[in-house]
Amino acid sequence: MEKIPGKNRKDKVFLYALSTCAWCKMTKQFLKDNDVEFEYVDVDKCEDEDLDKIKKEILGKGGSLSYPVIIVNDKTLINGFRKDKIKETLGI
Amino acid sequence: MITLEKVRQRAESDAKTYGYYLNPDAKFLQDLLEGLKSNEERHGYPACPCRLASGKLEIDRDIICPCDYRDPDVAEFGTCYCALYVRKDVFEGKIPVQPVPERRPLGKQTRSYTVAPTTSEKKPEPSTAVAKEPTEIKKKLWYCRQCGYVVFREDPPYICPICKAKREMFAEIAVRIDETG
């Protein structure tokens, strides 16, 4: 798990991403540009036993296995780089 | 070794063949091509950079770029799932590039979360790869009723690659093996 520091720590922002995915890269950059502190995991680099847990967590929160998956404060899940939704949720 | 230039040329040539364009955002396009390159290095084939590949060819077949879902996605949303391929109006900036909902069935997506990735495994020989196909994948023979194109895979394609007929034009070929001769 990687932590990207930022001055905006109002919400706990967690990101499931793929290291090869351009949308995920864009999401990481967007959060950095807005100085939002977040943690992320590149799912394609995860160990096998973790994949099942990740799948269950995303599906359990009502999301789809479509990356990036942004989880705010352990409850709000956003699938895909939907800028407006991310801005609205984080109030940025 | 696969080079980034080769990946780009392949995508350009494929876009041309099908009347598509590549993503007009140079930085975004570069990221996608690099993603394809690393997947080809990791798995031996260019799996979609924006989907989790299993590393098993049989499971990932439908998401090898250009994926099975590209044509219906470009037709409906203007871009494919990862947005490598775009329609003319998107290329010209008349329609913005937006995230595309996943069309790949959930049952196929979840297969990547239960099998071991092959990054540390040796690549199997082609002959053994065929013999070791996962048993849950039942491949069938399908033919296009419009042009006669025949394909051996799990599901018929969304669009016939030869005559562009829709999936509904495909029918299964029933094969009967008579062991008594």
Side-chain angles (χ1 to χ4, degrees):
Chain A
M1 198 184 321
E2 294 261 359
K3 186 172 184 169
I4 306 294
K7 286 194 187 109
N8 184 347
R9 296 181 201 133
K10 189 162 64 72
D11 298 291
K12 186 186 165 206
V13 182
F14 187 83
L15 182 70
Y16 280 122
L18 298 175
S19 69
T20 51
C21 170
W23 289 103
C24 301
K25 249 181 215 165
M26 220 183 220
T27 309
K28 288 173 188 170
Q29 194 55 51
F30 176 76
L31 293 173
K32 282 181 198 167
D33 290 347
N34 284 282
D35 216 2
V36 175
E37 181 159 295
F38 67 100
E39 287 184 320
Y40 76 90
V41 160
D42 282 330
V43 179
D44 56 322
K45 291 185 170 171
C46 281
E47 294 297 325
D48 228 18
E49 54 267 29
D50 294 329
L51 290 180
D52 200 47
K53 269 189 263 169
I54 293 168
K55 177 188 80 181
K56 281 182 183 144
E57 187 192 347
I58 296 170
L59 296 178
K61 285 190 160 66
S64 70
L65 301 171
S66 186
Y67 298 93
V69 176
I70 304 134
I71 301 172
V72 182
N73 297 326
D74 293 316
K75 50 174 202 270
T76 313
L77 186 147
I78 304 166
N79 268 123
F81 180 52
R82 288 190 284 155
K83 219 194 253 185
D84 292 346
K85 188 104 190 265
I86 299 170
K87 276 184 168 176
E88 190 194 315
T89 309
L90 299 177
I92 51 176
Chain B
M1 206 193 78
I2 185 90
T3 63
L4 199 62
E5 204 35 48
K6 183 102 187 274
V7 178
R8 182 187 294 271
Q9 279 169 9
R10 198 170 50 198
E12 274 170 357
S13 140
D14 199 68
K16 215 172 177 182
T17 307
Y18 285 86
Y20 298 139
Y21 294 80
L22 296 186
N23 195 299
D25 180 335
K27 169 75 176 66
F28 192 85
L29 177 61
Q30 177 82 6
D31 287 344
L32 287 170
L33 297 172
E34 276 171 11
L36 281 169
K37 180 176 177 278
S38 21
N39 274 348
E40 187 152 358
E41 283 163 356
R42 270 200 281 190
H43 308 306
Y45 46 84
C48 176
C50 297
R51 291 178 167 112
L52 182 68
S54 68
K56 301 264 188 279
L57 177 66
E58 275 313 308
I59 291 174
D60 297 336
R61 194 180 291 278
D62 60 322
I63 55 165
I64 295 175
C65 186
C67 70
D68 279 16
Y69 314 100
R70 177 189 67 175
D71 295 340
D73 279 342
V74 175
E76 189 175 344
F77 303 105
T79 79
C80 66
Y81 179 72
C82 72
L84 173 64
Y85 294 100
V86 307
R87 214 167 48 199
K88 194 178 179 201
D89 49 359
V90 174
F91 181 76
E92 289 170 347
K94 290 175 187 159
I95 293 175
V97 176
Q98 297 275 8
V100 167
E102 175 62 291
R103 190 183 292 271
R104 190 185 196 206
L106 183 64
K108 287 193 178 185
Q109 293 174 44
T110 52
R111 286 174 187 163
S112 295
Y113 293 79
T114 45
V115 292
T118 51
T119 37
S120 56
E121 275 177 27
K122 272 188 220 158
K123 218 180 281 174
E125 294 296 315
S127 58
T128 56
V130 172
K132 282 183 184 169
E133 274 177 16
T135 47
E136 75 268 24
I137 297 174
K138 295 257 187 296
K139 290 203 282 184
K140 296 167 183 170
L141 275 170
W142 303 92
Y143 78 102
C144 173
R145 287 183 283 140
Q146 187 162 288
C147 72
Y149 167 73
V150 174
V151 62
F152 182 55
R153 43 186 261 167
E154 195 177 7
D155 305 306
Y158 277 89
I159 292 170
C160 174
I162 305 300
C163 72
K164 311 288 174 228
K166 287 188 178 161
R167 172 174 263 190
E168 293 73 44
M169 281 305 279
F170 276 84
E172 191 185 337
I173 303 175
V175 183
R176 193 174 65 97
I177 301 167
D178 196 342
E179 286 180 353
T180 55

